[in-house]
Amino acid sequence: MSRDLPVGNGSVLVNFDMVYNIRDLYFPYVGQENQGSGYPSHFGVWTPKGFFGIDDPEAHKEGGYLNDTLVTNVEISHERLGISLNMRDTVDIQENVFVRKAKVENHHKQPRHIKLYFHLNLDLYGNGVGDTIFYNPDLRSLVF
């Protein structure tokens, strides 16, 4: 499986595949320690009208980078569910931090609840046991 959108800083490398799933998470040595072991980490969106995963054939994606940066710029739209997203991903140049930003646009006239689902399939140092995540409300972030 090809890796279409890499972002990294020399110590952390995150690779996305052709459908925009995270496939590789290298740390602390790029090319040696793949903390994701090449397994897909999924991303999905729920609306009251239905759920779609990033690899859903109805999800139209156009991706690349912001000009002159290693920040992804991926536009995702799902016409049937009336939703579009702008996703940006990067790894901080000085700190070993992967950052993902999602901007959601509701194309319906009425407000509605929309939920984003992030799945990270970690295999830290070859061990799939004890991988932990929590939500920090002060940072409004997920911390692994």
Side-chain angles (χ1 to χ4, degrees):
M1 171 81 50
S2 68
R3 306 301 190 242
D4 286 0
L5 287 172
V7 293
N9 67 0
S11 297
V12 174
L13 176 65
V14 179
N15 288 326
F16 295 89
D17 65 18
M18 58 192 288
V19 294
Y20 191 57
N21 286 315
I22 294 173
R23 281 288 182 153
D24 305 306
L25 178 60
Y26 288 98
F27 177 80
Y29 303 109
V30 172
Q32 291 183 12
E33 302 288 347
N34 187 353
Q35 308 301 339
S37 296
Y39 301 120
S41 294
H42 302 283
F43 171 73
V45 180
W46 177 91
T47 74
K49 293 183 87 177
F51 176 87
F52 74 91
I54 197 66
D55 52 0
D56 185 321
E58 289 185 83
H60 176 69
K61 295 176 285 296
E62 290 186 24
Y65 296 97
L66 293 177
N67 288 338
D68 300 321
T69 71
L70 276 178
V71 177
T72 66
N73 186 32
V74 178
E75 299 287 338
I76 305 161
S77 61
H78 198 288
E79 188 174 324
R80 182 175 55 82
L81 297 179
I83 192 167
S84 62
L85 296 98
N86 175 258
M87 302 291 294
R88 302 230 172 123
D89 308 277
T90 194
V91 173
D92 186 271
I93 195 71
Q94 294 178 338
E95 301 293 329
N96 293 327
V97 177
F98 170 63
V99 179
R100 173 170 264 190
K101 179 181 179 180
K103 181 180 177 184
V104 180
E105 187 173 332
N106 177 19
H107 296 287
H108 285 227
K109 294 180 182 177
Q110 300 297 321
R112 60 185 171 151
H113 291 284
I114 296 172
K115 298 177 184 178
L116 304 180
Y117 288 85
F118 297 94
H119 163 260
L120 191 56
N121 191 358
L122 295 176
D123 196 19
L124 300 179
Y125 297 101
N127 185 352
V129 178
D131 302 332
T132 306
I133 182 174
F134 72 93
Y135 176 71
N136 184 322
D138 294 333
L139 297 175
R140 296 177 52 189
S141 301
L142 300 173
V143 179
F144 299 88

